[in-house]
Amino acid sequence: MKRSYSAFAEDIPPYSGPKAARDSYTDLKQLSAIPGHIYTCPELQILPGQRRFSKVPWLVPMLELLPPTSIGHLKEWGLSTVFVLAKNYNKLVHVWESVTAMAELWHPQTNSFVFPEFEATILLEELEIMLGLPRYQRGEEPTISYTVEQINSWSILAYITTKKTDLYTMTSGMHVHLLPIAQWITSQCKRKTTNYTAIAKAAAICICGVILFPESDGAISFGNLSIIDSISEGMKIGQAVLGFLYASLTSAALGGPFYGSVIALELWMGMHIQFRVVEDLTTECKTMLNHPLAYVGGRLHMST
């Protein structure tokens, strides 16, 4: 049934000019007015969820066994930078005080960090460059068709292995466990099988699950499994990674757990923000030794 404009026009307040619009937006930006926002909790010490970003002992040994052909597939799919970050993951040091400070400035409605004099946010173009992901090109929309169908994680994992025992250990509930997948990769590499594409797809699930979609301890959701699997089909995943990071920042800002790509956030922070010691604002925080930028800065053509 069609509704005429006049049917609901009376509910729309008249435009009161640019000054009123600016004032109303200023009211919207007040973080202290958002119920449950951690901006109003100065006693917060630990950002919920940060413990899931601990070291992953199985990751590097598995990556070191990958055959060159499988690594070539990962590079072909645009995961070179993600692969480098994964190989150095256990060396990275996350500065959670800085991440918490940024979460305190996150506005869930505008998806931006609200500073005293300006706002800033993580752009899709920035994220794709920092993580080396395939770039989304404006004008590609007419060439992309979308189908909505039920995600079948079994069919995705069946490309890797058809053994029921392997499939059952890899899944539980609505999640896929990364450790059994890494163990399958290790087994295939040690046996020197030639199933290079399947090994590469399994490795992509592991490295993207750790670097781009860290959701729960050593596991990813079926939805993110489908996104990662689409990489090998030539799909661009930058929007999904960014949306996942936005959602995790909103969760953290409202007192929930942080579960997105902390590496992507720290790369953006490292490029745009200089942190200083509170007690002495003339002292810069030297945290770059094991910062993610220390491993991808060369690829971004950044100086030391």
Side-chain angles (χ1 to χ4, degrees), residues 173-218:
M174 296 297 292
H175 287 81
V176 179
H177 297 283
L178 302 181
L179 176 57
I181 297 177
Q183 291 172 334
W184 178 87
I185 294 172
T186 300
S187 172
Q188 294 292 303
C189 293
K190 288 184 176 179
R191 288 164 48 198
K192 300 189 183 300
T193 62
T194 58
N195 199 4
Y196 300 127
T197 303
I199 292 174
K201 283 196 169 192
I205 294 172
C206 289
I207 64 175
C208 291
V210 172
I211 304 297
L212 304 181
F213 298 103
E215 185 173 358
S216 60
D217 297 336

Tab-separated table of all heavy atoms in Angstrom, residues 173-218:
chain	number	residue	atom	x	y	z
A	173	GLY	N	28.468	-25.463	17.816
A	173	GLY	CA	27.484	-24.394	17.833
A	173	GLY	C	27.500	-23.624	16.527
A	173	GLY	O	27.412	-24.191	15.443
A	174	MET	N	27.663	-22.321	16.642
A	174	MET	CA	27.711	-21.439	15.461
A	174	MET	C	29.117	-20.928	15.204
A	174	MET	O	29.294	-19.883	14.571
A	174	MET	CB	26.755	-20.263	15.666
A	174	MET	CG	25.297	-20.661	15.777
A	174	MET	SD	24.666	-21.433	14.271
A	174	MET	CE	24.706	-20.047	13.146
A	175	HIS	N	30.126	-21.653	15.678
A	175	HIS	CA	31.500	-21.194	15.531
A	175	HIS	C	32.397	-22.264	14.912
A	175	HIS	O	32.098	-23.457	14.958
A	175	HIS	CB	32.078	-20.778	16.885
A	175	HIS	CG	31.520	-19.487	17.390
A	175	HIS	ND1	30.300	-19.403	18.023
A	175	HIS	CD2	32.005	-18.212	17.347
A	175	HIS	CE1	30.062	-18.135	18.352
A	175	HIS	NE2	31.075	-17.399	17.958
A	176	VAL	N	33.483	-21.787	14.330
A	176	VAL	CA	34.503	-22.656	13.741
A	176	VAL	C	35.787	-22.461	14.532
A	176	VAL	O	36.237	-21.321	14.717
A	176	VAL	CB	34.741	-22.309	12.258
A	176	VAL	CG1	35.830	-23.198	11.673
A	176	VAL	CG2	33.450	-22.459	11.463
A	177	HIS	N	36.377	-23.535	15.011
A	177	HIS	CA	37.591	-23.472	15.817
A	177	HIS	C	38.826	-23.473	14.915
A	177	HIS	O	38.925	-24.275	13.980
A	177	HIS	CB	37.645	-24.643	16.797
A	177	HIS	CG	36.519	-24.627	17.787
A	177	HIS	ND1	36.501	-23.781	18.867
A	177	HIS	CD2	35.366	-25.343	17.834
A	177	HIS	CE1	35.389	-23.984	19.559
A	177	HIS	NE2	34.677	-24.916	18.954
A	178	LEU	N	39.754	-22.587	15.217
A	178	LEU	CA	40.930	-22.423	14.365
A	178	LEU	C	42.013	-23.462	14.635
A	178	LEU	O	42.724	-23.866	13.721
A	178	LEU	CB	41.504	-21.013	14.544
A	178	LEU	CG	40.552	-19.857	14.230
A	178	LEU	CD1	41.257	-18.524	14.436
A	178	LEU	CD2	40.014	-19.959	12.812
A	179	LEU	N	42.173	-23.880	15.881
A	179	LEU	CA	43.238	-24.824	16.219
A	179	LEU	C	43.122	-26.147	15.450
A	179	LEU	O	44.120	-26.608	14.872
A	179	LEU	CB	43.279	-25.080	17.720
A	179	LEU	CG	44.297	-26.126	18.202
A	179	LEU	CD1	45.708	-25.747	17.762
A	179	LEU	CD2	44.232	-26.287	19.724
A	180	PRO	N	41.941	-26.785	15.382
A	180	PRO	CA	41.853	-28.027	14.587
A	180	PRO	C	42.171	-27.813	13.109
A	180	PRO	O	42.735	-28.707	12.460
A	180	PRO	CB	40.396	-28.458	14.789
A	180	PRO	CG	39.977	-27.825	16.065
A	180	PRO	CD	40.700	-26.520	16.110
A	181	ILE	N	41.822	-26.623	12.574
A	181	ILE	CA	42.154	-26.327	11.178
A	181	ILE	C	43.672	-26.217	11.015
A	181	ILE	O	44.253	-26.741	10.065
A	181	ILE	CB	41.464	-25.029	10.712
A	181	ILE	CG1	39.943	-25.204	10.749
A	181	ILE	CG2	41.921	-24.636	9.309
A	181	ILE	CD1	39.168	-23.965	10.375
A	182	ALA	N	44.322	-25.544	11.979
A	182	ALA	CA	45.785	-25.439	11.937
A	182	ALA	C	46.436	-26.809	12.064
A	182	ALA	O	47.452	-27.093	11.412
A	182	ALA	CB	46.269	-24.510	13.050
A	183	GLN	N	45.872	-27.670	12.895
A	183	GLN	CA	46.415	-29.020	13.038
A	183	GLN	C	46.258	-29.813	11.742
A	183	GLN	O	47.141	-30.592	11.366
A	183	GLN	CB	45.714	-29.733	14.195
A	183	GLN	CG	46.064	-29.162	15.566
A	183	GLN	CD	45.218	-29.748	16.681
A	183	GLN	OE1	44.082	-30.194	16.457
A	183	GLN	NE2	45.751	-29.742	17.904
A	184	TRP	N	45.147	-29.618	11.037
A	184	TRP	CA	44.954	-30.282	9.742
A	184	TRP	C	45.994	-29.787	8.740
A	184	TRP	O	46.571	-30.579	7.992
A	184	TRP	CB	43.543	-30.007	9.231
A	184	TRP	CG	43.282	-30.609	7.878
A	184	TRP	CD1	42.847	-31.870	7.612
A	184	TRP	CD2	43.482	-29.964	6.609
A	184	TRP	NE1	42.751	-32.065	6.255
A	184	TRP	CE2	43.138	-30.917	5.616
A	184	TRP	CE3	43.899	-28.704	6.214
A	184	TRP	CZ2	43.202	-30.619	4.254
A	184	TRP	CZ3	43.971	-28.409	4.861
A	184	TRP	CH2	43.630	-29.355	3.896
A	185	ILE	N	46.263	-28.467	8.726
A	185	ILE	CA	47.275	-27.906	7.825
A	185	ILE	C	48.642	-28.517	8.131
A	185	ILE	O	49.372	-28.932	7.219
A	185	ILE	CB	47.339	-26.373	7.976
A	185	ILE	CG1	46.036	-25.731	7.508
A	185	ILE	CG2	48.516	-25.798	7.184
A	185	ILE	CD1	45.954	-24.246	7.796
A	186	THR	N	48.991	-28.561	9.409
A	186	THR	CA	50.281	-29.126	9.813
A	186	THR	C	50.415	-30.569	9.350
A	186	THR	O	51.473	-30.985	8.838
A	186	THR	CB	50.427	-29.040	11.345
A	186	THR	OG1	50.350	-27.668	11.750
A	186	THR	CG2	51.767	-29.611	11.789
A	187	SER	N	49.345	-31.340	9.508
A	187	SER	CA	49.361	-32.729	9.080
A	187	SER	C	49.561	-32.845	7.570
A	187	SER	O	50.368	-33.660	7.101
A	187	SER	CB	48.056	-33.411	9.499
A	187	SER	OG	47.967	-34.707	8.940
A	188	GLN	N	48.860	-32.018	6.805
A	188	GLN	CA	48.980	-32.050	5.346
A	188	GLN	C	50.386	-31.664	4.892
A	188	GLN	O	50.956	-32.269	3.965
A	188	GLN	CB	47.954	-31.108	4.722
A	188	GLN	CG	46.505	-31.516	4.930
A	188	GLN	CD	46.150	-32.781	4.185
A	188	GLN	OE1	46.305	-32.860	2.967
A	188	GLN	NE2	45.655	-33.784	4.905
A	189	CYS	N	50.951	-30.663	5.546
A	189	CYS	CA	52.289	-30.193	5.150
A	189	CYS	C	53.359	-31.235	5.490
A	189	CYS	O	54.287	-31.454	4.703
A	189	CYS	CB	52.596	-28.862	5.839
A	189	CYS	SG	51.560	-27.488	5.287
A	190	LYS	N	53.245	-31.851	6.641
A	190	LYS	CA	54.236	-32.854	7.025
A	190	LYS	C	54.161	-34.087	6.142
A	190	LYS	O	55.179	-34.749	5.910
A	190	LYS	CB	54.051	-33.222	8.496
A	190	LYS	CG	54.496	-32.117	9.461
A	190	LYS	CD	54.375	-32.562	10.901
A	190	LYS	CE	54.916	-31.495	11.844
A	190	LYS	NZ	54.803	-31.891	13.274
A	191	ARG	N	52.975	-34.386	5.656
A	191	ARG	CA	52.810	-35.524	4.740
A	191	ARG	C	53.155	-35.156	3.299
A	191	ARG	O	53.119	-36.006	2.415
A	191	ARG	CB	51.374	-36.029	4.822
A	191	ARG	CG	51.069	-36.762	6.128
A	191	ARG	CD	49.575	-36.912	6.348
A	191	ARG	NE	48.901	-37.415	5.138
A	191	ARG	CZ	47.594	-37.328	4.918
A	191	ARG	NH1	46.833	-36.704	5.819
A	191	ARG	NH2	47.059	-37.820	3.832
A	192	LYS	N	53.445	-33.841	3.094
A	192	LYS	CA	53.823	-33.320	1.765
A	192	LYS	C	52.766	-33.632	0.711
A	192	LYS	O	53.072	-34.050	-0.410
A	192	LYS	CB	55.184	-33.876	1.344
A	192	LYS	CG	56.315	-33.511	2.281
A	192	LYS	CD	57.667	-33.897	1.723
A	192	LYS	CE	58.780	-33.579	2.707
A	192	LYS	NZ	58.857	-32.152	3.041
A	193	THR	N	51.512	-33.418	1.074
A	193	THR	CA	50.448	-33.578	0.099
A	193	THR	C	50.482	-32.412	-0.884
A	193	THR	O	51.081	-31.364	-0.619
A	193	THR	CB	49.070	-33.613	0.788
A	193	THR	OG1	48.849	-32.369	1.469
A	193	THR	CG2	49.005	-34.750	1.793
A	194	THR	N	49.831	-32.582	-2.014
A	194	THR	CA	49.846	-31.541	-3.057
A	194	THR	C	48.516	-30.806	-3.147
A	194	THR	O	48.208	-30.179	-4.165
A	194	THR	CB	50.171	-32.172	-4.423
A	194	THR	OG1	49.188	-33.195	-4.709
A	194	THR	CG2	51.560	-32.783	-4.415
A	195	ASN	N	47.753	-30.868	-2.080
A	195	ASN	CA	46.456	-30.177	-2.060
A	195	ASN	C	46.665	-28.707	-1.683
A	195	ASN	O	46.166	-28.217	-0.663
A	195	ASN	CB	45.526	-30.868	-1.051
A	195	ASN	CG	44.068	-30.531	-1.278
A	195	ASN	OD1	43.720	-29.844	-2.234
A	195	ASN	ND2	43.212	-31.021	-0.400
A	196	TYR	N	47.421	-27.994	-2.538
A	196	TYR	CA	47.905	-26.656	-2.186
A	196	TYR	C	46.781	-25.632	-2.008
A	196	TYR	O	46.847	-24.783	-1.116
A	196	TYR	CB	48.886	-26.169	-3.245
A	196	TYR	CG	50.098	-27.056	-3.409
A	196	TYR	CD1	50.457	-27.552	-4.661
A	196	TYR	CD2	50.876	-27.423	-2.315
A	196	TYR	CE1	51.571	-28.368	-4.819
A	196	TYR	CE2	51.979	-28.249	-2.457
A	196	TYR	CZ	52.324	-28.721	-3.718
A	196	TYR	OH	53.416	-29.541	-3.869
A	197	THR	N	45.747	-25.702	-2.858
A	197	THR	CA	44.664	-24.725	-2.751
A	197	THR	C	43.888	-24.906	-1.463
A	197	THR	O	43.550	-23.924	-0.781
A	197	THR	CB	43.717	-24.836	-3.954
A	197	THR	OG1	44.453	-24.660	-5.165
A	197	THR	CG2	42.621	-23.783	-3.885
A	198	ALA	N	43.598	-26.144	-1.099
A	198	ALA	CA	42.877	-26.408	0.148
A	198	ALA	C	43.698	-25.958	1.348
A	198	ALA	O	43.162	-25.383	2.306
A	198	ALA	CB	42.541	-27.892	0.257
A	199	ILE	N	45.000	-26.193	1.307
A	199	ILE	CA	45.876	-25.744	2.394
A	199	ILE	C	45.856	-24.218	2.492
A	199	ILE	O	45.792	-23.654	3.589
A	199	ILE	CB	47.311	-26.262	2.176
A	199	ILE	CG1	47.359	-27.789	2.334
A	199	ILE	CG2	48.294	-25.604	3.146
A	199	ILE	CD1	48.701	-28.402	1.989
A	200	ALA	N	45.892	-23.559	1.328
A	200	ALA	CA	45.868	-22.098	1.322
A	200	ALA	C	44.546	-21.568	1.877
A	200	ALA	O	44.521	-20.594	2.643
A	200	ALA	CB	46.101	-21.574	-0.092
A	201	LYS	N	43.430	-22.180	1.511
A	201	LYS	CA	42.134	-21.748	2.027
A	201	LYS	C	42.061	-21.936	3.539
A	201	LYS	O	41.542	-21.063	4.260
A	201	LYS	CB	41.010	-22.534	1.344
A	201	LYS	CG	40.682	-22.065	-0.067
A	201	LYS	CD	39.341	-22.610	-0.518
A	201	LYS	CE	38.885	-21.953	-1.802
A	201	LYS	NZ	37.478	-22.250	-2.125
A	202	ALA	N	42.576	-23.054	4.016
A	202	ALA	CA	42.585	-23.295	5.460
A	202	ALA	C	43.472	-22.289	6.177
A	202	ALA	O	43.117	-21.776	7.250
A	202	ALA	CB	43.053	-24.723	5.748
A	203	ALA	N	44.633	-21.978	5.579
A	203	ALA	CA	45.538	-20.992	6.178
A	203	ALA	C	44.897	-19.606	6.188
A	203	ALA	O	45.071	-18.839	7.143
A	203	ALA	CB	46.859	-20.963	5.411
A	204	ALA	N	44.146	-19.280	5.134
A	204	ALA	CA	43.460	-17.985	5.082
A	204	ALA	C	42.453	-17.876	6.218
A	204	ALA	O	42.310	-16.810	6.844
A	204	ALA	CB	42.762	-17.819	3.731
A	205	ILE	N	41.746	-18.959	6.508
A	205	ILE	CA	40.793	-18.955	7.624
A	205	ILE	C	41.520	-18.668	8.935
A	205	ILE	O	41.062	-17.874	9.763
A	205	ILE	CB	40.046	-20.302	7.697
A	205	ILE	CG1	39.152	-20.478	6.472
A	205	ILE	CG2	39.218	-20.399	8.977
A	205	ILE	CD1	38.538	-21.862	6.362
A	206	CYS	N	42.682	-19.289	9.119
A	206	CYS	CA	43.428	-19.121	10.373
A	206	CYS	C	43.981	-17.708	10.524
A	206	CYS	O	43.795	-17.069	11.570
A	206	CYS	CB	44.563	-20.144	10.444
A	206	CYS	SG	44.012	-21.845	10.700
A	207	ILE	N	44.656	-17.202	9.487
A	207	ILE	CA	45.309	-15.892	9.641
A	207	ILE	C	44.276	-14.765	9.663
A	207	ILE	O	44.436	-13.784	10.408
A	207	ILE	CB	46.380	-15.652	8.554
A	207	ILE	CG1	45.771	-15.587	7.156
A	207	ILE	CG2	47.458	-16.716	8.622
A	207	ILE	CD1	46.785	-15.243	6.065
A	208	CYS	N	43.209	-14.889	8.880
A	208	CYS	CA	42.172	-13.854	8.913
A	208	CYS	C	41.378	-13.932	10.212
A	208	CYS	O	40.944	-12.904	10.743
A	208	CYS	CB	41.242	-13.995	7.713
A	208	CYS	SG	42.000	-13.582	6.118
A	209	GLY	N	41.192	-15.152	10.721
A	209	GLY	CA	40.495	-15.295	11.991
A	209	GLY	C	41.242	-14.651	13.136
A	209	GLY	O	40.636	-14.071	14.041
A	210	VAL	N	42.569	-14.703	13.095
A	210	VAL	CA	43.386	-14.108	14.159
A	210	VAL	C	43.577	-12.602	13.955
A	210	VAL	O	43.469	-11.820	14.903
A	210	VAL	CB	44.759	-14.811	14.234
A	210	VAL	CG1	45.692	-14.078	15.204
A	210	VAL	CG2	44.591	-16.255	14.676
A	211	ILE	N	43.838	-12.174	12.728
A	211	ILE	CA	44.197	-10.778	12.463
A	211	ILE	C	42.984	-9.899	12.196
A	211	ILE	O	42.888	-8.772	12.707
A	211	ILE	CB	45.164	-10.691	11.257
A	211	ILE	CG1	46.407	-11.548	11.504
A	211	ILE	CG2	45.555	-9.234	10.996
A	211	ILE	CD1	47.239	-11.110	12.685
A	212	LEU	N	42.013	-10.375	11.406
A	212	LEU	CA	40.922	-9.527	10.947
A	212	LEU	C	39.613	-9.727	11.704
A	212	LEU	O	38.855	-8.779	11.902
A	212	LEU	CB	40.655	-9.777	9.452
A	212	LEU	CG	41.858	-9.600	8.518
A	212	LEU	CD1	41.427	-9.853	7.078
A	212	LEU	CD2	42.486	-8.227	8.659
A	213	PHE	N	39.319	-10.968	12.127
A	213	PHE	CA	38.031	-11.254	12.758
A	213	PHE	C	38.185	-11.990	14.090
A	213	PHE	O	37.585	-13.045	14.294
A	213	PHE	CB	37.167	-12.100	11.812
A	213	PHE	CG	36.826	-11.427	10.519
A	213	PHE	CD1	37.495	-11.771	9.352
A	213	PHE	CD2	35.845	-10.447	10.456
A	213	PHE	CE1	37.185	-11.164	8.142
A	213	PHE	CE2	35.513	-9.829	9.253
A	213	PHE	CZ	36.189	-10.188	8.096
A	214	PRO	N	39.004	-11.462	15.014
A	214	PRO	CA	39.136	-12.142	16.321
A	214	PRO	C	37.883	-11.922	17.152
A	214	PRO	O	37.687	-10.873	17.736
A	214	PRO	CB	40.366	-11.454	16.937
A	214	PRO	CG	40.357	-10.089	16.320
A	214	PRO	CD	39.797	-10.238	14.943
A	215	GLU	N	37.031	-12.916	17.183
A	215	GLU	CA	35.716	-12.749	17.806
A	215	GLU	C	35.635	-13.391	19.179
A	215	GLU	O	35.176	-12.792	20.137
A	215	GLU	CB	34.649	-13.329	16.887
A	215	GLU	CG	33.229	-13.099	17.368
A	215	GLU	CD	32.215	-13.544	16.338
A	215	GLU	OE1	32.611	-13.985	15.253
A	215	GLU	OE2	31.020	-13.458	16.638
A	216	SER	N	36.038	-14.651	19.276
A	216	SER	CA	36.061	-15.341	20.568
A	216	SER	C	37.342	-16.148	20.633
A	216	SER	O	38.096	-16.200	19.657
A	216	SER	CB	34.827	-16.245	20.723
A	216	SER	OG	34.798	-17.219	19.702
A	217	ASP	N	37.601	-16.743	21.758
A	217	ASP	CA	38.881	-17.417	21.963
A	217	ASP	C	39.117	-18.527	20.937
A	217	ASP	O	38.506	-19.600	21.007
A	217	ASP	CB	38.938	-18.001	23.372
A	217	ASP	CG	38.878	-16.914	24.438
A	217	ASP	OD1	39.256	-15.773	24.116
A	217	ASP	OD2	38.444	-17.199	25.558
A	218	GLY	N	39.995	-18.252	19.968
A	218	GLY	CA	40.383	-19.269	18.999
A	218	GLY	C	39.275	-19.732	18.087
A	218	GLY	O	39.323	-20.860	17.576
